[in-house]
Amino acid sequence: MMANLVANPTTAIQMNTIASKKISIIPVLISVLIYFNYYLINPINQPPVMKNLLKEYDFIVIGGGSAGSVVANRLTENSEWNVLLLEAGGHENEITDIPAFSIYLQNTKLNWQYKTQAQNTACQAMKDNRCCWPRGKVLGGSSVLNTMLYIRGNRRDFDQWESFGNPGWGYDDVLPYFKKSQDQRNPYLARNTKYHSTDITGDVKSTIQFYKKQVFAGGYLTVEDSSYKTSLAPVYLQAAKELGYNIRDINGEKQTGFAFFQYTMRRATRCSTAKAFIRPIQFRKNFHLSLWSHVTRVLIDPSTKKAYGVEFIRNGRVETVFAKKEVILSAGAINTPQLLMLSGIGARDHLEELGIPVIQDSPGVGQNLQDHIGFGGLVFLVDYNTSLKTSAFMNLKTILEYIINRKGPLTSSIGLELVGFLSSKNANQTDDWPDIEFMITSATINNAPDIAETAFCLTEDFYDEVYGDIINHNSFNIIPMILRPKSRGYIKLKSKNPLDYPLMYHNYLTNPDDMRVLREGVKAAIAFAETSSLRRLGARFHSKPYPNCKHHPMFTDEYWECVIRQFTMTIYHLSCTAKMGPRSDPMAVVDPSLKYDLQRKSLKIVEAFLRLVKKRKNLHIALNAQVWKVLFNTDKEATGMEFLSDGLKQTVRVRREIILSAGAINLPQLLICYLLNHLCSQA
């Protein structure tokens, strides 16, 4: 037998190939087994789907994403209200829980797989010049697809919102709601009770319990550090110190500086808003969930302009449910303006052009679209085996380490390790209001050729020419991102068919200030990699000229502008398509209490896309829903109170009256909370 194999090398090669394939398929089989046994191994089963819906609900929430999940949770705290949550996708699963797999989920049915219209200002290296815009089509929304980074934003961002005529949205107003939502598992950060809180009422046994008397009762959303870091991670911190930056809690008092990322993870797995806010309420009798339910329009009485119901498609049939009190739109920055326009709310000319009856002329619907964008092509090579390669994910040892111990490379958020906030020369250097963010990752695109096409939509020719000769080379990536873009895109309907995707125009880099800031970010990233800390590892910029930029001298402003327009990278923070503002603003879609003015005020919009100016980051979505927490019924009658007792949140309901005797300072505060209606839940 051995002689035959040696005499026939072709046969030997074929058998070796077959054996290799059998070995490599083991992780795939394990993943399949995990998927189909999810309900057995997961200690908290998924919330049940209601097959037979009621004809009428008090509240109908459209979209079970990062905002809708929070809204459904808070509304159902009132046992007298029945709430229906409609979601176009299905359940998350054990595969979506694995942090390292987030980038691979973008080519699945969990993603709407939107693509923008072709524009020459950006995404030139993508197929057909179209940017890919991943959006979650699953319970939990984009919190099931994202990289789980927990970053609240800058104080000045919120204070600016308030200065634009939006009372109740300043930093001091929203901070309690961030804390109310958060369950911070890092004991060092949890000590700072001014900015963090911990869910000490839960059954989790951790070092956080040591600080029980020092922290306020937190909420459902778990935040923790990653249990896995590459050997490059501490070197990044050393490089930041070398440049004179502080290492700080970027969700604390100040933001400028560097830190390890904080993640929305729980026990080294993804903590989506579905896991955090929906699973704990799955047995509330007043909560109904309908998945795979594609909403086609909000039903609005044209004479009274009262939103009274929702039409949606489920199991191939058109169904209708009615709302006694309110319809709440939380369908995302793309689907919400689409639904508003399909329902007759939008720019009159556009709706009439498509033959949609106009309920209300609202020119701001779908306008003011903003996104955080960065440059994805800054790859730096190193001489040591320090990178996180995709080959580290796909082996039996790694998968078993994750399944058994919840440790190892699979607990990494695709190699994202360090975040930095810095000011370009276009910003005030002495002010703690940075305009650039660094996302530093030890997993680079040259080590993941399989996702270059699916996740980033890069053309094969572009990838091969720029990265083909450094595939699987140890490296790291710095992604500079602009924090306050001035360019504005828009969304419009393709047709009045609700199943047609809308037309999306990003308008990236159409404002020259955006290019100036991002260009300075690229230069700062190269300077970061040239620190002695990283040079000791042989760090050097991969300076392969981009295909369509070779006519520009390397490292000139013209060259950087060219490559930025080639590999323009969305950071997945689409927002602002239903602008929040005072009634004096003709482009505002909702007022500061998140209401759309339909006379009877029966339609509310709760989502990140309502913001008037782009801010930082995906946590704002849950925040907007959190601030919207109801303590009054729709007739503005007081129904109960929330308060802290021994660090624990308590809720009581009243039958008749609440009598305020809180003193000269606290009484006005409580009255203001009442007048703002829904904007305060801690008194």
Side-chain angles (χ1 to χ4, degrees):
M1 175 68 110
M2 181 64 70
N4 289 338
L5 287 176
V6 172
N8 191 347
T10 302
T11 304
I13 292 172
Q14 289 174 345
M15 292 188 68
N16 184 60
T17 302
I18 292 171
S20 297
K21 287 181 179 178
K22 288 181 179 178
I23 293 172
S24 64
I25 204 172
I26 290 175
V28 178
L29 291 175
I30 292 175
S31 298
V32 171
L33 289 173
I34 291 173
Y35 181 83
F36 286 107
N37 290 278
Y38 179 70
Y39 292 96
L40 297 178
I41 66 175
N42 186 19
I44 306 177
N45 289 334
Q46 300 283 15
V49 177
M50 184 63 59
K51 293 182 179 179
N52 300 315
L53 301 178
L54 304 177
K55 291 292 184 181
E56 190 176 56
Y57 291 86
D58 290 302
F59 295 91
I60 301 173
V61 182
I62 302 173
S66 297
S69 297
V70 182
V71 170
N73 178 299
R74 297 308 185 191
L75 283 174
T76 53
E77 288 179 357
N78 186 334
S79 60
E80 295 180 3
W81 292 340
N82 55 15
V83 178
L84 172 64
L85 177 61
L86 296 170
E87 166 56 43
H91 283 302
E92 55 188 340
N93 54 56
E94 183 73 8
I95 305 303
T96 63
D97 274 0
I98 302 174
F101 282 1
S102 61
I103 202 75
Y104 295 93
L105 301 175
Q106 296 183 16
N107 196 34
T108 69
K109 292 182 179 180
L110 302 176
N111 180 13
W112 284 92
Q113 300 190 33
Y114 288 123
K115 291 186 178 181
T116 66
Q117 297 303 110
Q119 293 181 272
N120 291 326
T121 60
C123 299
Q124 295 174 2
M126 281 66 171
K127 297 174 186 176
D128 303 321
N129 282 22
R130 301 179 71 186
C131 313
C132 288
W133 276 359
R135 297 282 91 190
K137 189 179 183 182
V138 58
L139 185 64
S142 294
S143 74
V144 177
L145 303 183
N146 66 15
T147 51
M148 300 156 287
L149 308 180
Y150 183 84
I151 301 177
R152 294 172 176 173
N154 191 281
R155 169 182 285 272
R156 291 281 299 276
D157 291 335
F158 297 101
D159 291 344
Q160 189 184 61
W161 290 2
E162 189 172 43
S163 71
F164 288 160
N166 296 279
W169 291 93
Y171 183 75
D172 291 334
D173 298 305
V174 302
L175 179 59
Y177 297 98
F178 276 128
K179 293 171 62 180
K180 179 176 180 173
S181 175
Q182 180 194 40
D183 173 20
Q184 175 59 256
R185 297 291 176 86
N186 182 322
Y188 176 78
L189 297 177
R191 288 193 223 184
N192 187 352
T193 58
K194 182 176 181 181
Y195 296 99
H196 296 284
S197 58
T198 301
D199 180 15
I200 60 175
T201 64
D203 60 352
V204 178
K205 295 181 180 179
S206 72
T207 55
I208 297 296
Q209 298 296 329
F210 179 77
Y211 301 106
K212 181 173 181 179
K213 294 182 179 180
Q214 300 181 25
V215 298
F216 292 106
Y220 296 95
L221 187 65
T222 305
V223 180
E224 65 184 24
D225 296 347
S226 174
S227 61
Y228 180 87
K229 290 183 176 65
T230 69
S231 56
L232 279 171
V235 183
Y236 299 145
L237 278 185
Q238 191 174 359
K241 290 180 180 178
E242 188 177 329
L243 291 174
Y245 288 100
N246 292 321
I247 309 305
R248 64 171 74 255
D249 172 12
I250 45 86
N251 291 315
E253 181 180 4
K254 292 187 177 181
Q255 189 178 58
T256 304
F258 284 76
F260 289 130
F261 277 111
Q262 299 170 37
Y263 306 90
T264 51
M265 292 184 188
R266 180 181 295 167
R267 303 182 187 92
T269 65
R270 177 185 298 276
C271 184
S272 68
T273 55
K275 181 186 290 187
F277 293 94
I278 295 299
R279 293 190 195 182
I281 68 166
Q282 58 181 300
F283 298 118
R284 288 180 183 173
K285 294 181 180 180
N286 60 334
F287 172 64
H288 285 182
L289 172 66
S290 180
L291 299 181
W292 304 285
S293 303
H294 189 123
V295 176
T296 55
R297 66 185 177 119
V298 178
L299 303 175
I300 303 172
D301 189 311
S303 58
T304 63
K305 296 188 177 181
K306 175 182 173 61
Y308 63 88
V310 174
E311 184 181 271
F312 61 98
I313 299 173
R314 186 173 67 154
N315 297 326
R317 297 188 311 156
V318 177
E319 298 186 34
T320 303
V321 289
F322 301 101
K324 297 179 185 177
K325 299 183 184 297
E326 293 175 352
V327 175
I328 300 165
L329 265 177
S330 56
I334 296 172
N335 298 97
T336 284
Q338 179 189 23
L339 278 173
L340 286 172
M341 289 185 280
L342 289 169
S343 306
I345 301 173
R348 179 179 297 276
D349 293 345
H350 180 49
L351 299 183
E352 289 179 344
E353 178 186 2
L354 297 175
I356 298 174
V358 179
I359 299 293
Q360 188 147 321
D361 182 15
S362 184
V365 174
Q367 301 297 310
N368 195 45
L369 186 149
Q370 298 167 57
D371 188 15
H372 285 134
I373 59 172
F375 175 52
L378 290 176
V379 173
F380 300 91
L381 308 178
V382 293
D383 293 333
Y384 297 88
N385 187 21
T386 54
S387 299
L388 185 60
K389 302 177 182 179
T390 53
S391 57
F393 303 148
M394 302 303 177
N395 64 72
L396 181 59
K397 178 184 176 183
T398 298
I399 292 179
L400 289 177
E401 185 179 20
Y402 174 80
I403 294 174
I404 298 171
N405 298 319
R406 287 293 190 260
K407 293 183 179 179
L410 287 177
T411 66
S412 168
S413 179
I414 60 170
L416 285 164
E417 300 194 288
L418 199 76
V419 60
F421 289 92
L422 54 156
S423 297
S424 72
K425 65 181 182 181
N426 302 283
N428 188 338
Q429 299 287 333
T430 62
D431 195 2
D432 184 38
W433 201 16
D435 57 352
I436 295 173
E437 178 184 339
F438 279 180
M439 303 171 71
I440 305 179
T441 173
S442 300
T444 52
I445 189 171
N446 56 296
N447 291 325
D450 51 335
I451 65 171
E453 181 179 351
T454 56
F456 300 113
C457 295
L458 294 173
T459 65
E460 186 176 346
D461 291 342
F462 173 84
Y463 182 86
D464 289 343
E465 181 168 345
V466 178
Y467 304 107
D469 56 352
I470 61 167
I471 290 178
N472 289 327
H473 197 296
N474 286 292
S475 53
F476 65 92
N477 185 202
I478 302 178
I479 304 171
M481 184 189 82
I482 182 171
L483 287 172
R484 292 189 296 280
K486 295 182 179 179
S487 302
R488 300 289 186 267
Y490 62 94
I491 293 173
K492 59 190 297 188
L493 295 178
K494 180 180 180 180
S495 71
K496 62 180 180 180
N497 183 347
L499 300 182
D500 282 346
Y501 281 7
L503 304 177
M504 295 158 279
Y505 297 85
H506 57 74
N507 285 353
Y508 290 158
L509 303 170
T510 52
N511 189 302
D513 287 345
D514 291 350
M515 177 59 75
R516 279 192 283 269
V517 173
L518 200 48
R519 194 171 58 209
E520 291 302 311
V522 170
K523 295 176 183 178
I526 291 177
F528 186 92
E530 289 178 345
T531 57
S532 60
S533 302
L534 286 165
R535 289 290 240 182
R536 282 195 289 269
L537 301 178
R540 59 203 179 276
F541 175 53
H542 175 60
S543 57
K544 183 74 175 285
Y546 274 26
N548 296 323
C549 303
K550 295 177 181 179
H551 57 290
H552 295 298
M554 183 74 74
F555 300 109
T556 62
D557 286 353
E558 292 76 16
Y559 178 77
W560 292 131
E561 179 173 342
C562 182
V563 298
I564 288 170
R565 293 192 189 278
Q566 293 279 306
F567 195 170
T568 321
M569 186 175 176
T570 176
I571 313 296
Y572 317 120
H573 299 157
L574 306 175
S575 63
C576 310
T577 50
K579 182 181 178 183
M580 175 175 69
R583 298 197 177 191
S584 58
D585 185 347
M587 298 301 288
V589 179
V590 296
D591 65 20
S593 64
L594 312 187
K595 296 175 183 175
Y596 183 81
D597 185 9
L598 281 170
Q599 294 183 0
R600 299 295 183 91
K601 299 178 181 178
S602 54
L603 177 64
K604 280 197 176 77
I605 302 174
V606 183
E607 193 49 281
F609 53 78
L610 61 84
R611 291 185 299 242
L612 58 164
V613 179
K614 181 68 192 175
K615 303 304 175 195
R616 183 79 176 111
K617 198 163 183 161
N618 54 4
L619 260 297
H620 292 116
I621 306 174
L623 165 71
N624 290 342
Q626 194 76 249
V627 173
W628 189 78
K629 203 271 186 190
V630 178
L631 276 180
F632 300 87
N633 63 22
T634 52
D635 295 324
K636 297 184 179 180
E637 296 173 340
T639 60
M641 294 177 60
E642 278 188 1
F643 58 96
L644 292 174
S645 176
D646 294 328
L648 302 179
K649 183 187 72 173
Q650 304 286 342
T651 302
V652 294
R653 299 291 171 185
V654 296
R655 296 178 181 176
R656 298 183 184 277
E657 296 178 343
I658 293 177
I659 301 172
L660 294 179
S661 57
I665 295 177
N666 294 322
L667 183 58
Q669 178 185 358
L670 291 170
L671 289 174
I672 290 172
C673 290
Y674 175 81
L675 293 174
L676 288 177
N677 193 11
H678 310 331
L679 288 183
C680 187
S681 67
Q682 290 188 4

